Amino acid sequence: MTEFEEIIEALIKFRDERDWQQFHDSKNLATAISIEAAELNELFLWKKTNDSETVNIERLKEELADVLSFSFLLAEKHGLNIKDIVLEKIKQNAEKYPVDKAKGTAKKYNEL
């Protein structure tokens, strides 16, 4: 069993013990990801760049775990392999952002 499979299995066990699958439709999972991402962003709100690097690590772990948990559940719901979709996205981004054009710049692919 891969680490991702182990995580998803634990999430499903937790969810199913509480009979929460009924609430985990795609819309609600996507909304939950967005809400948890906003809570993650809140940790950095109004901080200067240097201060943002010293954010409360326990809160960071909690909010990242929430974002990742709902993301794993949404991927599982649609039969998506997390490793495959992330590696495919990296490949797509490599084509959009070739090293010779994108290195050292934050410009979007259509601005390169």
Side-chain angles (χ1 to χ4, degrees):
M1 178 179 294
T2 68
E3 290 177 346
F4 291 143
E5 291 169 336
E6 184 179 346
I7 292 167
I8 291 168
E9 183 178 281
L11 286 166
I12 289 171
K13 181 178 186 296
F14 178 86
R15 177 199 68 197
D16 290 352
E17 288 173 344
R18 289 153 182 82
D19 192 26
W20 286 352
Q21 185 173 7
Q22 62 184 313
F23 308 117
H24 287 187
D25 57 80
S26 297
K27 177 197 72 72
N28 281 320
L29 289 170
T31 302
I33 293 166
S34 178
I35 291 167
E36 296 302 341
E39 291 178 9
L40 175 64
N41 280 326
E42 187 178 28
L43 299 177
F44 302 98
L45 184 64
W46 311 123
K47 295 187 184 300
K48 295 185 186 304
T49 303
N50 289 343
D51 294 337
S52 71
E53 300 303 327
T54 59
V55 69
N56 180 313
I57 196 72
E58 291 306 313
R59 292 277 322 278
L60 179 62
K61 286 169 29 179
E62 288 176 21
E63 300 307 338
L64 273 174
D66 288 339
V67 170
L68 290 167
S69 294
F70 287 122
S71 297
F72 286 146
L73 286 168
L74 184 58
E76 187 276 333
K77 180 172 188 58
H78 291 275
L80 301 174
N81 179 293
I82 293 165
K83 177 182 173 185
D84 291 346
I85 65 174
V86 171
L87 291 176
E88 178 61 29
K89 184 62 177 178
I90 292 169
K91 182 180 172 187
Q92 291 171 3
N93 283 341
E95 292 171 9
K96 282 185 186 177
Y97 298 96
V99 173
D100 62 322
K101 292 183 179 178
K103 189 170 186 172
T105 182
K107 292 181 180 177
K108 193 165 170 125
Y109 66 91
N110 58 357
E111 298 172 341
L112 295 174

